[in-house]
Amino acid sequence: MSQAVDKIMRTIEQRAGIDQTPEGRLAFWIAFSHLRYEARIKAGAEELRRRAEARDAAEAERRKRESTWW
């Protein structure tokens, strides 16, 4: 994997809440190990985006609740 792609993937992993230790990253990516390289990256990236969006939505909801003080 090129350094640029690795950096992008790490950024998406962080947004998705994936532990950035080698063990944490492995725990995520092992679920896609049965796929060939291109399919593995695509499926993993889709799951990361889904998790990141869900996490962002939960954070937005939390902020919304906190701003409603009454």
Side-chain angles (χ1 to χ4, degrees):
M1 183 179 317
S2 75
Q3 289 182 343
V5 172
D6 188 53
K7 185 175 181 178
I8 292 167
M9 294 307 287
R10 284 180 181 268
T11 300
I12 299 170
E13 288 171 354
Q14 288 172 341
R15 280 195 55 230
I18 303 301
D19 180 10
Q20 290 298 286
T21 64
E23 297 81 11
R25 293 183 79 206
L26 177 62
F28 172 79
W29 286 103
I30 199 83
F32 306 98
S33 64
H34 65 285
L35 300 171
R36 291 187 175 256
Y37 179 77
E38 190 173 314
R40 181 182 316 143
I41 297 300
K42 184 176 181 178
E46 287 174 7
E47 176 62 15
L48 289 169
R49 283 188 204 98
R50 187 194 67 74
R51 289 186 187 192
E53 289 170 1
R55 198 171 159 176
D56 290 347
E59 178 63 21
E61 181 62 30
R62 184 190 63 77
R63 279 182 278 164
K64 182 179 174 183
R65 276 182 290 171
E66 287 178 354
S67 69
T68 308
W69 55 273
W70 48 272

